Amino acid sequence: KSREALTNLDASTYQVCYQLKILTTALFSVFMLQRQFSRKKWCALISLTVGVAIVQISGSAQNDTTESSTTQNRTLGLIAILFAACTSGFSGVFFEKMLKGSSTSLWMRNIQMGLPSIIIAFITAYVEDGAIIAEKGFFVGYSPVVWTVVVVQAIGGLIVAVVIKYADNVLKTFAASASIVISCGLSAIFFNFRPNLAFLCGACFVVISTVLYSQPDKIPRRRLKKKSVPTTNQITGSSRMAEV
C-alpha cells in the first residue's frame, strides 16, 4: 500500500497523510484495548501529528519542478495511504495486545515474529544475488560499519518491544516522533542540513505535544457537603418534644 501511495502521490502529501498513523494508533487503542484519553491528550496527539507532518515536509521539499504526471491516480494514492496508516496503527496495537494479553515471554514473541522475516530475507537474497553469494560468500561486503548498523537496528527492535510491553503504543509514537526531530538536529550539527522555519515550527509542535501528553490528568475533586451542627436551641427544642 505504501508503494501505491508513493506512486500516485507527491512526497509532501504522502508525508502528511502517513502521519495519520499516530491518530489511528490512538483510535485502535481505544477500541481494542479499551483505553481512555482525556481531551488534553487528544489535543496533544493532534498537535504531534501536525508537528511531525510539518517536519517531514520541510525535509522533503523538492526544488525540481517536475511536471505533474498524468499517470498518477490521486484518489487511489489517498486511499492507499489511508489504508497504510490504518494498518500501521492496527498492527502496533495488535502487537501490544499480544504482548500484554498472554503469558508468552517477550523474547519468544520476538523470535516468533522474526523467523518469517529471516526466511523471506534469505530467499530474497539468494534470488537477487545468488551468484555473488555462491562466489564470494554470504557475508561479502559486511564492513564494520555494516555490522554496527545491524547491531543498532537489532537493539532498537528489542527496545521497541520493551516499550510496547511495559508502556504502550502511543508513547512509542511520541518517542519515534521525537527521534525524527533529534535526528534532524544532529544532521544540522554533523552534516550540511540547515533547518528552515517550517522545521522549527514542526519541532515546536512536537515538543509542546510531548510536554502536554506527559502531564497527568487532573482528577476532579468532589465537594463534600458540610454537615450542619445542631445548635443548643434545636437540642433543647427536640428534647422538649420528646418529653411531650
Side-chain angles (χ1 to χ4, degrees), residues 165-186:
K165 174 71 174 180
Y166 297 103
D168 56 56
N169 246 289
V170 178
L171 290 179
K172 188 205 75 169
T173 59
F174 271 89
S177 303
S179 68
I180 295 174
V181 178
I182 293 173
S183 61
C184 293
L186 293 176

Side-chain angles (χ1 to χ4, degrees), residues 26 53 64 79 91-92 116 152 182 199 203 231:
D64 54 338
I79 293 174
S91 61
V152 169
I182 293 173
F199 173 82
T231 60

Side-chain angles (χ1 to χ4, degrees), residues 21-60:
K21 65 181 181 179
I22 298 173
L23 297 179
T24 59
T25 300
L27 290 173
F28 280 116
S29 297
V30 172
F31 291 120
M32 298 176 61
L33 302 176
Q34 285 75 45
R35 190 167 291 146
Q36 295 181 351
F37 297 99
S38 62
R39 291 182 179 179
K40 182 173 67 175
K41 291 190 182 301
W42 280 114
C43 291
L45 289 168
I46 295 173
S47 176
L48 179 68
T49 304
V50 174
V52 174
I54 294 174
V55 169
Q56 294 281 14
I57 291 176
S58 68
S60 63

Side-chain angles (χ1 to χ4, degrees), residues 72-88:
Q72 285 186 346
N73 189 341
R74 192 171 181 82
T75 303
L76 178 61
L78 289 174
I79 293 174
I81 193 60
L82 290 176
F83 189 78
C86 290
T87 53
S88 176

Side-chain angles (χ1 to χ4, degrees), residues 131-165:
I132 298 176
I133 293 175
E135 180 183 354
K136 299 181 179 180
F138 183 82
F139 294 102
V140 59
Y142 275 70
S143 62
V145 176
V146 175
W147 279 112
T148 303
V149 173
V150 171
V151 173
V152 169
Q153 292 291 331
I155 295 174
L158 294 175
I159 291 175
V160 168
V162 171
V163 170
I164 295 176
K165 174 71 174 180

